[in-house]
Amino acid sequence: SALPGLRSLDLSDQIGDSEDIEDEARSEGAAALGRLLSSTGLRGLEDLNLSLVWTGGGEACAKAIAARHLPNLRSLSLRETDMVPSGVLDLANAFAAGKAPELRVFRLVDCWVPDHLQSSDADPTFEVPDALVKALNSGHLSQLTVLQLQEVYDFFGA
């Protein structure tokens, strides 16, 4: 493990305005973040802050958690982060499957789906609330002490 002592990683406030990010740059940023979060060097990570990361941070995190690359994660902050509904759905499903058993703090605050990323065909937006309820009722988040779901209208059909 390259960084066995790393317990906290704050990558917040990396990019200025989500509307200025081209799809290709967002894709490249998400891929790079995905590689970082999936590296074996971060298995001891307990605190991850991806607030104001507008390059697919939520989706990359969801994939890393689903693949059990962040087994010791205790705190996850996704504040003012653009995400596609499938990313939130993947995250909720990973929680429901017990892939973040140490999670104590989860903040999903003021997140939205950018207009250019919204789709009308296979949009799982309305599945998100049920998936989050399923995750909370699964018993796999028994360590959770702080849950903040605030201003996430795009995921609740409002």
Side-chain angles (χ1 to χ4, degrees), residues 64-92:
I65 290 172
R68 296 188 191 263
H69 291 295
L70 300 171
N72 295 304
L73 193 63
R74 293 173 186 240
S75 177
L76 175 59
S77 182
L78 298 167
R79 182 181 52 82
E80 293 186 49
T81 300
D82 66 355
M83 292 181 70
V84 292
S86 61
V88 179
L89 191 61
D90 290 346
L91 196 57

Side-chain angles (χ1 to χ4, degrees), residues 9-40:
L9 180 60
D10 187 340
L11 295 173
S12 62
D13 203 10
Q14 294 299 312
I15 301 209
D17 187 351
S18 68
E19 292 179 9
D20 294 336
I21 300 171
E22 298 293 327
D23 287 342
E24 184 178 335
R26 185 180 196 281
S27 248
E28 290 172 9
L33 186 56
R35 287 189 300 276
L36 173 67
L37 295 178
S38 295
S39 72
T40 58

